Amino acid sequence: MESGEASGQSGSLWPFVAMAGLVLGAAAQLQQPALLAAGFYVAPLLAAVVLLAVLRVAGRRGTSVVALLAAALCAGILLGAGSTGLRAVWHAADALLPELEGRDIAVVGVVAQMPQRSEAGVRFRLDVESARWADAAVPGVTPRVSPRAPPRVPPHINLGWYAANTGLWDRAADPASTPPPAGAPAPVHAGERWALTVRLRAPHGNLNPHGFDQELRLWEQGVHAAGYVRTGSRDAAPERLAATWRHPVERAREAVRDAVFARVADRQQAGVIAALVTGDQNAIDRADWDVFRATGVAHLMSISGLHITMFAWLAAWIVGALWRRSTRLMLRWPAPQAALVGGVLLATLYALFSGWGVPSQRTVWMLAVVVLLRLSGRQWPWPFTWLLACAAVVAIDPWALVQAGFWLSFVAVGVLFATGAGPEAAARKDVLARFQRLLREQWVVTLALTPLTLLLFQQVSVVGLLANAVAIPVVTLVITPLAMLGVIAPPLWDAAAWVVQALGLALKALAGLPFATLSMAAAPLWMGASGVAGGVLLAMRLPRSLRALGLPLLLPALLWQAPRPGVGEFELLAADVGQGNAVLVRTATHSLLYDAGPRYSLESDAGQRVLVPLLRAFDEKIDLLLLSHRDSDHTGGAAPVLAMQPQAALLASIEATHPLQAQRPAQRCVAGQRWTWDGVHFEVLHPLPSDYDSAVKPNALSCVLRIGNERAVALLAGDIEREQESALVQRMPAGGLRADLLLVPHHGSKTSSSAPWLDAVQPRVAVVQAGYRNRFGHPAPPVTAAYAARGTLLVDSPNCGAAHWSSLRPAEVDCERARRARYWHHRPTAP
């Protein structure tokens, strides 16, 4: 009898074990550094299908519980790994061929998303319908390539059409091999068919420790190429061919967004309203985003998975409350079921109108699975329902497993399940009880997600609970309804703007508090997982004695400190910032940042995109920011870094009238400045005081920094050129320039790295910080040949990502692209 009961239980449990296996299999496949041939994924997929068929039969015949569950786990793993791998192979087939990079191609396609406009121009996504070589389409130009072999262009590409001679195109989004030619962008709208001459490149993003993976985001969206529109005298003029009926939602989103900005004069207030209605997060000003993150309300302003989840919950509560007011409706369909369906349908419509982004899609699928299960009448324990939702999302979008948004929304749903929250429960209470429940659920979700937020972003808002207590009802019950109703009655947008302004003032006051945010170093995965489990345990409806067990689970993540070099040793991290310099130097108790990377556009720079998250992940307190010279590819990210690091001193060769002087007065760097941190010696070798009076170019004033201990030396050379190299060689004693690591002068330009300089330095490792397919051609082939001839290991940012170097291993360098190699990462090929 007992064996029969055990067999029956195993027969009901094995599908859930298979679901867990599917998630594990997909997660394992996502760790692959490179894809295998399709056949290697078909085999486990077929094996999984056969094994699942056998399990269905074996489950009815009293097979051993252990054997049955083990087989189910294996089947799920094979199914998850095989299906994910096979889809990835099909996905990769659309990649841009390397030989098409930097070539002019004539394409015809339809604008697939509402364009993003800025002072620099306009960016948009194009669904390509046809492509041919551009020079074959220009009268009087002899084709270089036979038009009988048309180029194979990916079906979805991101394009920029930039204003003439602004110099403001976004080099991070479109680091093209040449600057865009003159030609003001014409009005571009979603759904229009255009004929354009474009120059493309493969998607290539910056790769830094704990940094955002832009290449994964584009892979998940199916975008395999980016570039810009060519409008030169030898290019065919862009031509609008027709307005199509395709992408009607995008056309409506664009019309509403433009109407908001036309109606509301204040751009910051209009940006928030447009973001809440259309999901256009780019409409929100960068300074406002900083405030929203500091106060923990960013999830209310961005259409994320967590946002859709909370919207569905609130919509279900409203639908249920309204449904109960009608006796006829109650007789036709129970209110709890109507609330569930209404909540998911309204959330789906909201997700569609907000752009139907990948995070919104997977959240809608997860909610739909949960609702269908509830409607079927199956009374599963909440962990099984949670697991089913997770497996369904992973089956549809396996790459969600490595996205922060998935885990935020997934854990939020799990917490609401585990704590007994839901629209049905809330609807049975009076108004006061409903409000108390809303506050409690906000507290529970905040408590549970705090460790996860620290794990994912290394920052959490201390004032977040108070800010959310104010912002959630204001945004969800006042601003969002006014913003949405403004589509019908535009004057309501004015009212929404007033409320946005008032809320903004309150949030800025909270963000200005000295304790507003808490930052911690990025903990190892097991510590982060332990902290998340502790947060969830504290939030659950359990006896206090059991909930208290969550506290020790939190401690490893809360007490973690990033490892530092020992006394007398030092480390360098050459960040991947594109075309610019930024090197983090760390000793046992001190840190220095050499240069702050480039300014990408009016809206973004390396400080905000790369360096601030990087410093936060290491919980780094910078003692000194050294800016080698005034060029924007070295100082472009300095302002956000200085704002984040109020204690940091500034050493630079910038002039007294430079804007950064107003933010932090700079001490002039001159040769002979020396200091010692933790047994590591620092010395400025250039420029001389007299150079400030005679230098013609900013490069000539580059601060050259020598860092060394008893075993290893690093030399950071800024943008010095041959004249300054020669002066240093003549001025320094024999062996005084010798270094194990050299930051290659001027990003590998032909104006630097002269033979006498290389002979004097004799670097074992040389690091080039340059952008992928940068318009300057850095590093120049003669320069790379010169380093190779001397046996120097030369690494560059496009191939290496962030470069890690330690004085303990002075002849070696670790590349972030090798440490985190995944098959969706771009692998540049030699030109």
Side-chain angles (χ1 to χ4, degrees), residues 712-728:
V713 173
L715 191 61
L716 309 182
D719 276 1
I720 61 171
E721 299 182 354
R722 292 175 183 268
E723 182 180 349
Q724 292 77 49
E725 291 175 350
S726 177
L728 280 168

Side-chain angles (χ1 to χ4, degrees), residues 376-397:
S376 69
R378 298 179 183 272
Q379 299 297 320
W380 288 359
W382 72 262
F384 288 178
T385 305
W386 199 35
L387 179 59
L388 175 62
C390 178
V393 172
V394 171
I396 295 170
D397 177 20

Side-chain angles (χ1 to χ4, degrees), residues 630-647:
R630 73 177 315 278
D631 285 355
S632 63
D633 57 333
H634 297 255
T635 63
V641 172
L642 290 173
M644 177 203 185
Q645 304 280 341
Q647 78 290 336

Side-chain angles (χ1 to χ4, degrees), residues 14-15 18 45-58 71-72 75-76 79:
W14 74 260
L45 196 58
L46 293 176
V49 173
V50 172
L51 197 53
L52 288 173
V54 172
L55 282 170
R56 293 198 60 178
V57 177
L79 182 62

